Amino acid sequence: MTSPFSSFEEFSSAEGPIYTFANNPTVIAILLIICALMTIYFVYASYTMKLDSKSPDAKAIGLLLVAGFASVMGTLFNPNTERREAVNPRHSHEMRAERSNWQPLALLGMVGLGGAAKGRSSKRRSSRKVRRIQ
Amino acid sequence: MSPEAQEFLGTFVSESFYYWASVFMLLIHAGFLAYEGGASRTKNVLATMVKNLLTLASVGLAFFFFGWWVYNAFPFFPITGGIMGPWTNPEASETVAAAMPLVEASYPWSPALGPNTADHLTGVFFFAFALFAMTTASILSGALIERVKVGAYLIMSIVLGGFTWVVAAAWGWNPFGWFFTELGYHDFGCSAVVHGVSGFFTLGVLLNLGPRIGKYDANGKPRPILPHNLPLTMVGLMLIFVGFYAFLAACLIFLPGYDGEFTIYATPMTLASVGVNTTLALAAGLIGAYISSKSDPFFTISGGLAGIISVGAGMDLYHPSVVIVLAFIGAFLMPKVIIAIEKFGIDDAVGAVGVHGFCGLFGSIVTGIAAAGFPQGDGIPNINFLGQLTGALICVVLLGFIPGYGVSWLLKKFNLLRVSADEEIAGLDIADMGAEGYPEYATMSFVTGSSKGKSAQPASMNSPELATE
């Protein structure tokens, strides 16, 4: 029985926890561990969701992190001097606009690269073909 | 503050709480409107949304004329007493005497439903219940899109929203209801009473309605009919989530003079726990469906709703960790149920049978395990598996599937259920509304040259282009 109460009088006059397993902290602890594992698996699965393999490609992720880090560093230490270029005014305006938005875009680029590098498996595509989406 | 003013403050708090909870429940309907509209194809978007909108009218009026009375009149019938009405002697028993004022306040001619300074609460409870009823019928609406006649839907919405779910509520979500008094049935968030009934009613209708033209190939293999606007569908579901916070809050009972918060079964609870458990059910449901469906966008977001429904019946009692586990399980299974139903040749356009029917049934039955043994009052059985199973099955079979199948079968017999093949192929926007949802786009009518009064050429049942336009 999951109820911590043996009678309605006890339940209706309770001052404190009234939830399931309130009198059994061991069960609560086990359930919380299960919930935590479920959450961790969810994050892990989000990397493997689009792959046939059962584990994320650690080398690819590592390479992306290094490339992303280098991209951020490069942006940070890039001297903000404008080179004179024989381009139309519109193009130079776009370049200035790009330079004013630096690190966040580099970070977004990391994420985007990660998504692009993963791609979609043929197995996933074929399963989607027959899936009815409402 | 005078004692009178203090007393009225309690009335005002109660009245305001249910009033605003019901207003927020309208977001469920804004959500269903967007959800269904997005799920339809461009040629059906207006008709789909108008059909859903009309639920507010058909069920709202039906609930006023007889639905509200059914809720108050049917709790004893047929096990512990008869149907109560003007013919009932209030002195028959103490229980009848206690129930009769509620029955008398539910007639359409009752002074309690009009502006009445002696009764601030009957009207606001009617408002909340009417919104519950509209939600129940809206669940049916989405599954039938793109081929049901508007009139047929209105009739079925009245039967479901104005009667069958109300009987389920009278029996299983009412302190006088015989599910509760005889079986110990507990369904705080109406898992089976609302979702189970409507999901299985929908299943019965779908069997008679049949699939959309082009849904299945020559070998009976299902083909995808893609939503014309999946982002709109997803935003719709987000609105439904917000509305369900209000729906579940409105399941709490707080009346003037109360010294605590109670369920409809007069057991103690807290509104705070509804907030915590709904949030966690939503989160765990999203995860369950995301993993189960391998990140399919429609199934993933439907998982949030599936999670909430899977724990609705016992969320007043569950520890948050129990909520997470149960919501995950219910939402994990939901996509598999929907795909299985589709393979059986049943074209449920929005997965209503899986999300509402299956998860409602699961949520109600699992309370008999996850909340087993909770006492519910003197002479009332404790929460138990058999009571939950019996109540849930009566809801889904007797009050859901059978009426849904029966009403739709009758409508089909008189050729009142489904639009003609020509209308379906041309699109219901042109056929029913005489207008298009996207007149400036290259839609079906633009490509084929069809317009109002000039229907498209009927195509082969198996032509592949029908599944995409």
Side-chain angles (χ1 to χ4, degrees):
Chain A
M1 291 296 173
T2 65
S3 169
F5 306 105
S6 55
S7 71
F8 185 68
E9 285 70 33
E10 196 185 334
F11 181 31
S12 59
S13 61
E15 292 285 338
I18 57 169
Y19 50 78
T20 49
F21 304 114
N23 58 343
N24 200 333
T26 310
V27 173
I28 297 288
I30 292 165
L31 285 168
L32 286 171
I33 291 165
I34 292 168
C35 294
L37 290 172
M38 207 184 287
T39 308
I40 292 163
Y41 178 74
F42 159 60
V43 176
Y44 166 81
S46 69
Y47 281 99
T48 65
M49 195 57 70
K50 297 173 185 175
L51 298 173
D52 285 333
S53 62
K54 293 292 176 194
S55 61
D57 189 340
K59 282 183 185 173
I61 291 173
L63 191 65
L64 282 167
L65 285 171
V66 170
F69 182 75
S71 169
V72 173
M73 290 298 111
T75 310
L76 280 169
F77 293 103
N78 187 28
N80 197 18
T81 55
E82 292 190 25
R83 288 178 295 170
R84 290 180 175 274
E85 293 178 30
V87 291
N88 64 49
R90 187 176 151 211
H91 180 69
S92 62
H93 173 75
E94 283 169 1
M95 284 188 66
R96 277 197 299 275
E98 282 170 7
R99 283 189 184 123
S100 63
N101 302 314
W102 35 290
Q103 301 99 319
L105 283 181
L107 291 166
L108 280 173
M110 285 171 61
V111 176
L113 277 171
K118 293 288 166 199
R120 287 183 165 211
S121 71
S122 58
K123 182 182 175 185
R124 178 178 160 84
R125 276 198 302 273
S126 63
S127 70
R128 284 291 170 85
K129 273 182 191 174
V130 294
R131 183 178 304 153
R132 185 271 341 250
I133 306 174
Q134 295 73 5
Chain B
M1 191 183 286
S2 68
E4 292 80 11
Q6 271 190 323
E7 191 183 344
F8 182 73
L9 193 61
T11 301
F12 183 71
V13 166
S14 184
E15 183 182 22
S16 301
F17 174 77
Y18 291 106
Y19 181 88
W20 291 112
S22 304
V23 168
F24 277 109
M25 266 197 266
L26 270 170
L27 284 175
I28 294 174
H29 298 279
F32 273 123
L33 201 75
Y35 177 69
E36 284 178 42
S40 66
R41 286 166 287 181
T42 51
K43 62 180 180 178
N44 296 313
V45 63
L46 281 182
T48 297
M49 289 177 131
V50 168
K51 172 174 64 67
N52 182 276
L53 181 68
L54 291 175
T55 307
L56 304 181
S58 62
V59 177
L61 292 170
F63 202 76
F64 171 71
F65 289 126
F66 55 85
W68 186 221
W69 168 74
V70 169
Y71 176 73
N72 290 294
F74 276 60
F76 305 138
F77 177 79
I79 303 297
T80 56
I83 298 169
M84 290 177 284
W87 54 83
T88 303
N89 176 12
E91 292 164 13
S93 73
E94 272 185 41
T95 317
V96 172
M100 271 312 285
L102 300 170
V103 177
E104 284 161 357
S106 62
Y107 304 139
W109 56 86
S110 167
L113 285 174
N116 186 333
T117 54
D119 189 342
H120 288 258
L121 296 175
T122 298
V124 89
F125 276 110
F126 165 86
F127 182 25
F129 270 88
L131 265 294
F132 278 36
M134 292 167 190
T135 298
T136 310
S138 255
I139 291 163
L140 168 72
S141 174
L144 316 181
I145 60 171
E146 304 192 308
R147 75 276 206 203
V148 74
K149 285 187 174 178
V150 176
Y153 168 70
L154 293 179
I155 290 168
M156 292 186 290
S157 74
I158 289 167
V159 173
L160 173 60
F163 186 70
T164 65
W165 98 268
V166 195
V167 175
W171 291 351
W173 203 83
N174 187 315
F176 298 112
W178 67 267
F179 276 14
F180 173 62
T181 59
E182 303 302 304
L183 304 172
Y185 183 76
H186 188 98
D187 193 352
F188 166 76
C190 303
S191 286
V193 163
V194 164
H195 301 282
V197 169
S198 59
F200 279 83
F201 188 101
T202 300
L203 179 63
V205 174
L206 288 171
L207 289 174
N208 284 310
L209 185 66
R212 287 166 287 180
I213 294 173
K215 175 64 190 173
Y216 292 91
D217 66 16
N219 302 317
K221 245 183 113 177
R223 292 188 295 200
I225 295 181
L226 300 177
H228 91 279
N229 191 337
L230 190 55
L232 181 65
T233 294
M234 294 175 86
V235 170
L237 262 163
M238 285 300 296
L239 290 171
I240 292 170
F241 294 156
V242 176
F244 264 97
Y245 275 91
F247 179 103
L248 292 161
C251 292
L252 175 150
I253 305 299
F254 178 81
L255 296 174
Y258 274 27
D259 59 356
E261 295 161 350
F262 298 92
T263 66
I264 193 75
Y265 311 108
T267 54
M269 65 164 293
T270 64
L271 182 59
S273 69
V274 172
V276 172
N277 286 346
T278 306
T279 302
L280 294 175
L282 175 56
L286 289 169
I287 292 174
Y290 175 81
I291 292 169
S292 173
S293 70
K294 294 189 166 53
S295 83
D296 178 277
F298 175 81
F299 284 140
T300 299
I301 197 156
S302 296
L305 192 53
I308 292 170
I309 296 164
S310 296
V311 301
M315 69 157 49
D316 57 313
L317 301 169
Y318 293 153
H319 184 269
S321 60
V322 175
V323 165
I324 293 170
V325 171
L326 294 182
F328 180 91
I329 294 168
F332 186 89
L333 294 173
M334 173 270 295
K336 301 181 186 313
V337 171
I338 290 175
I339 290 166
I341 286 167
E342 189 181 56
K343 282 180 181 168
F344 273 109
I346 298 164
D347 180 15
D348 178 358
V350 295
V353 179
V355 175
H356 297 275
F358 167 74
C359 291
L361 183 63
F362 169 79
S364 176
I365 291 173
V366 83
T367 305
I369 301 166
F374 267 90
Q376 301 197 91
D378 296 328
I380 308 288
N382 293 353
I383 296 177
N384 64 95
F385 179 74
L386 195 62
Q388 293 300 123
L389 181 68
T390 307
L393 288 177
I394 291 171
C395 279
V396 303
V397 178
L398 187 67
L399 299 170
F401 181 79
I402 291 172
Y405 188 89
V407 174
S408 57
W409 182 84
L410 273 175
L411 289 166
K412 190 178 177 182
K413 271 282 174 202
F414 292 100
N415 198 28
L416 296 172
L417 183 61
R418 186 169 175 147
V419 299
S420 68
D422 284 3
E423 285 179 330
E424 187 177 344
I425 292 162
L428 301 187
D429 285 1
I430 293 294
D432 287 353
M433 307 282 130
E436 289 187 305
Y438 303 100
E440 295 160 3
Y441 292 6
T443 53
M444 185 67 161
S445 64
F446 178 87
V447 173
T448 61
S450 70
S451 60
K452 187 168 168 52
K454 182 188 171 187
S455 58
Q457 287 297 309
S460 158
M461 289 284 283
N462 299 316
S463 66
E465 66 273 13
L466 290 173
T468 56
E469 178 48 65

